Structures are given as C-alpha cells and as structure tokens.
Amino acid sequence: MRFVIVGGGPAGTEAATHAARLGVEVVLIERDIIGGAANLWDCIPSKAMIATGGAMSYLNGVGAMGVGDVSGHLDLDVVRRRIGAITGRLESSTERILESQQVEMVRAPAASPGAHGGGHDRRRGADVRADAVMLSTGSRPRIPSGWRSTTGC
C-alpha cells in the first residue's frame, strides 16, 4: 500500500511515522517546513521571545532581593540565532525520524489529486500515485473584512 500525505506539520508527520511503523510505503509532500509552519515559524519563536522577556523581567527585579550590579542587555541578533537554532534542531530531528522509517519526503507544493489518486509533484513534474491520500495542510485564519493582518496570513 502507498500512502501519500500532503502536509508535513504535526498531524502529517505523526500519520507518516505511524503508517511507516505498520509497514506502509509513505510519501510526505511538504512545500515549506517539515514539522509545521505554525509550530516552527509561529509558536516556537514566540515562546522563545516570551522566555527572553521573562529573563529580562527577572533581572530587573533581583535588585529588590539584594543582588546588586545586575543589568541585562537585549541583543536581538542573539535572540534570532537562538530561535533559528531551536527551530532548526526540531525540523532536522523530525526529518531524521522520518528518514529512519523510510518515509519519502518531497519538498514541493502539491496539486490536487488526479483521477488515479495521489497528487502532482511539481518538483519532479510527475504524478505521485497512491492507494490513500491524507490532506493535512493546516489552515489560514479568516480575517474579517476591514481588518488588517500583521502576520501576513
């Protein structure tokens, strides 16, 4: 059996590893980032910045505890590198797990399934055939008319 999953976020990667453990041939198609854009581009960076802010807040309050000569300087380049290192480790870890289970990863946008199932792999310019297809592409929030998005969604 050949199982094609479109979308390499948490649901898609979990389905891929579960199916692979059952002996299914799995193809995972992802256009952006293995592990999920919401996780690795939104949640993890925001949590890392919140932790940095918490550390700065803690430093600002230690004077009242009797600790003197403590100051913190925020270096945004260091924060960016830290976030990049965290998300890079998470993405590569997920990729290594999938590779170890012989999940074929296709890094390209997918088109809608054809008459025979599967989807078109634009990178290779060929159809990816499947016995079963799972669409796990996440979603975009609905922005009410007249609102302006600051996230580009």
Side-chain angles (χ1 to χ4, degrees):
M1 176 176 191
R2 191 162 204 219
F3 183 31
V4 172
I5 301 168
V6 179
T13 57
E14 181 65 23
T17 60
H18 188 77
R21 278 188 236 129
L22 295 173
V24 175
E25 179 186 351
V26 181
V27 178
L28 179 69
I29 302 173
E30 172 56 53
R31 73 169 183 202
D32 291 323
I33 187 167
I34 301 291
N39 273 349
L40 300 177
W41 289 347
D42 298 330
C43 296
I44 300 297
S46 67
K47 298 291 185 192
M49 288 185 274
I50 289 167
T52 299
M56 292 293 293
S57 179
Y58 180 78
L59 283 177
N60 288 335
V62 295
M65 298 169 160
V67 178
D69 295 328
V70 176
S71 65
H73 166 72
L74 184 60
D75 186 333
L76 290 177
D77 288 331
V78 172
V79 173
R80 280 189 208 101
R81 284 193 302 271
R82 177 174 174 260
I83 290 169
I86 293 168
T87 58
R89 278 192 308 273
L90 290 171
E91 181 181 17
S92 66
S93 171
T94 303
E95 288 177 353
R96 280 193 307 276
I97 290 168
L98 293 168
E99 288 168 357
S100 75
Q101 296 172 329
Q102 285 77 50
V103 171
E104 178 184 352
M105 288 177 276
V106 176
R107 302 298 286 264
S112 60
H116 302 288
H120 185 73
D121 174 357
R122 293 181 188 163
R123 180 178 58 100
R124 292 188 295 197
D127 285 336
V128 175
R129 303 288 177 187
D131 297 303
V133 176
M134 176 179 161
L135 298 178
S136 180
T137 57
S139 65
R140 295 201 182 273
R142 184 182 68 82
I143 308 296
S145 62
W147 287 40
R148 202 173 136 209
S149 171
T150 58
T151 62
C153 294

